[in-house]
């Protein structure tokens, strides 16, 4: 699998940030690391960062996050050099919710044991899809004999095939997206999680996240664009007062994930297997018969 991550913002047609394995953020030239990815999500980036390199979302934005690559139970690799865990991802989404950086979030992951990546989510308004359950592999599709590798992952292929039929006026809902790659096609068992999402999936249109048109309001009133210095100054002072009165955000201490992952497993107490005990008793009985014969059986029972 290719290490890829896609962030789609708002209601635009898949316009966002594309992370590719060659180590740069497409059109933004940001190195693809776990730290940079989490900083883009949570908005924890330097103030000098231009708008083109930010995730400009608010509490009215629908966010699409699509990830694919090599992974395992509870982690996804970034360029085969580092990993992001399901705990780190869940905490990042909680920070986004607390900072009002999304209205609804759709998370799709195509990797081995993909369902493990959304098990730790606890923030509201998140819908998650995965290409495989815990303990299953996600397989590739479309091998190219010329270069000797597969060109696409199987789950991604069928999702893309489904989305190519969607238009801005489509009434297709999320329940249809759940069914695009059954086990007969994917070989693995795709999964989804909707308990954190406030709306019924059958009432959520695909175009709420894919290929929709931004809604606008039309007014016939004339609006003056000339700034009034008095109004601007009073508004600026009010904003400063609001910032002073606002309580600072507090974040819970993070779990020592690195220590948990690398700590040595606890040694289990040794117990002889059941077959060993039966074999030992059989050996004792054989030695007894060999030594004393059948006539001494009455002294045992």
């Amino acid at each position: 699998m290719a290490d890829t991550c896609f962030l789609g913002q708002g209601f635009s047609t898949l316009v966002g940030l594309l992370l590719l394995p060659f180590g740069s953020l497409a059109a933004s030239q940001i190195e693809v690391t776990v730290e940079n990815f989490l900083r883009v999500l949570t908005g924890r980036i330097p103030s000098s960062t231009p708008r083109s390199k930010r995730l400009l979302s608010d509490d009215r934005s629908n966010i699409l996050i699509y990830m694919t690559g090599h992974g395992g139970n509870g982690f996804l690799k970034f360029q085969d050099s580092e990993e992001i865990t399901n705990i780190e991802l869940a905490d990042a989404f909680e920070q986004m919710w607390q900072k009002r950086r999304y209205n609804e979030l759709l998370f799709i992951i195509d990797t081995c044991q993909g369902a493990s990546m959304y098990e730790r989510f606890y923030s509201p308004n998140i819908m998650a899809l995965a290409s495989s359950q815990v303990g299953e592999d996600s397989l590739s599709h479309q091998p190219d004999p010329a270069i000797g590798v597969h060109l696409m992952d199987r789950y991604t292929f069928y999702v893309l095939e489904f989305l190519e039929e969607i238009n801005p006026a489509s009434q297709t809902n999320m329940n249809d997206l759940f069914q695009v790659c059954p086990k007969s096609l994917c070989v693995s068992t795709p999964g989804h999680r909707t308990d954190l999402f406030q709306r019924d999936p059958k009432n959520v249109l695909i175009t709420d996240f894919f290929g929709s048109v931004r809604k606008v309001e039309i007014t016939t009133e004339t609006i003056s664009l000339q700034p009034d210095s008095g109004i601007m100054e009073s508004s600026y002072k009010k904003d400063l007062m609001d910032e002073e009165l606002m309580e600072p955000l507090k974040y819970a201490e993070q779990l020592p994930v690195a220590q948990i992952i690398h700590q040595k497993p606890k040694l289990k107490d040794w117990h002889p297997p059941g077959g060993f005990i039966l074999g030992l008793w059989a050996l004792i009985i054989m030695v007894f018969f060999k030594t004393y014969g059948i006539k001494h059986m009455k002294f045992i029972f």
Side-chain angles (χ1 to χ4, degrees), residues 72 107 109 111-118 130-134 136 138:
F107 175 78
I109 185 165
T111 185
C112 298
Q113 308 192 61
S116 65
M117 290 300 292
Y118 59 63
S131 61
S132 58
Q133 299 292 332
V134 177
E136 292 184 339
S138 290

Side-chain angles (χ1 to χ4, degrees), residues 72-294:
N73 192 353
F75 69 91
L76 178 74
K77 287 187 177 182
F78 270 51
Q79 305 182 62
D80 291 331
S81 59
E82 56 179 344
E83 303 165 353
I84 185 171
T85 65
N86 52 6
I87 298 176
E88 292 172 323
L89 201 56
D91 289 343
F93 290 164
E94 176 62 17
Q95 289 187 43
M96 293 179 69
W97 175 255
Q98 294 294 339
K99 298 169 74 172
R100 299 181 179 181
R101 290 181 61 81
Y102 74 87
N103 171 46
E104 293 175 338
L105 192 150
L106 176 62
F107 175 78
I108 304 177
I109 185 165
D110 185 358
T111 185
C112 298
Q113 308 192 61
S116 65
M117 290 300 292
Y118 59 63
E119 289 179 341
R120 299 297 186 94
F121 291 175
Y122 56 92
S123 305
N125 278 4
I126 296 180
M127 184 185 299
L129 292 85
S131 61
S132 58
Q133 299 292 332
V134 177
E136 292 184 339
D137 294 333
S138 290
L139 304 181
S140 300
H141 190 67
Q142 288 185 325
D144 188 333
I147 59 178
V149 297
H150 290 77
L151 302 179
M152 187 178 292
D153 299 321
R154 187 173 291 268
Y155 181 79
T156 299
F157 173 82
Y158 288 107
V159 170
L160 179 60
E161 187 178 56
F162 168 79
L163 293 175
E164 286 177 343
E165 303 298 325
I166 303 299
N167 58 71
S170 175
Q171 295 299 307
T172 308
N173 60 54
M174 282 296 168
N175 279 341
D176 299 318
L177 182 60
F178 296 160
Q179 308 299 325
V180 298
C181 192
K183 191 171 184 177
S184 58
L185 296 176
C186 273
V187 183
S188 60
T189 309
H192 58 270
R193 181 180 176 185
T194 60
D195 58 298
L196 298 172
F197 207 76
Q198 295 182 359
R199 294 195 288 161
D200 190 330
K202 68 180 181 181
N203 298 326
V204 181
L205 298 179
I206 295 293
T207 52
D208 284 356
F209 295 95
F210 293 93
S212 183
V213 178
R214 186 180 296 273
K215 298 177 181 180
V216 297
E217 296 181 6
I218 301 176
T219 178
T220 57
E221 299 178 2
T222 303
I223 300 176
S224 176
L225 300 179
Q226 297 295 330
D228 189 324
S229 58
I231 296 176
M232 293 289 289
E233 185 176 355
S234 61
S235 176
Y236 176 72
K237 290 181 179 179
K238 185 177 181 300
D239 291 341
L240 288 179
M241 292 178 62
D242 291 342
E243 290 182 1
E244 291 177 357
L245 295 176
M246 186 183 298
E247 295 183 1
L249 295 175
K250 297 180 180 179
Y251 299 95
E253 295 183 0
Q254 304 298 307
L255 292 173
V257 180
Q259 298 178 14
I260 294 175
I261 293 175
H262 298 293
Q263 67 183 3
K264 295 182 179 180
K266 182 180 178 182
L267 296 177
K268 296 182 179 179
D269 297 330
W270 185 84
H271 297 283
F276 175 81
I277 297 175
L278 291 176
L280 181 61
W281 274 109
L283 179 62
I284 293 174
I285 292 174
M286 289 176 60
V287 172
F288 178 84
F289 283 128
K290 185 72 173 178
T291 306
Y292 300 102
I294 193 73

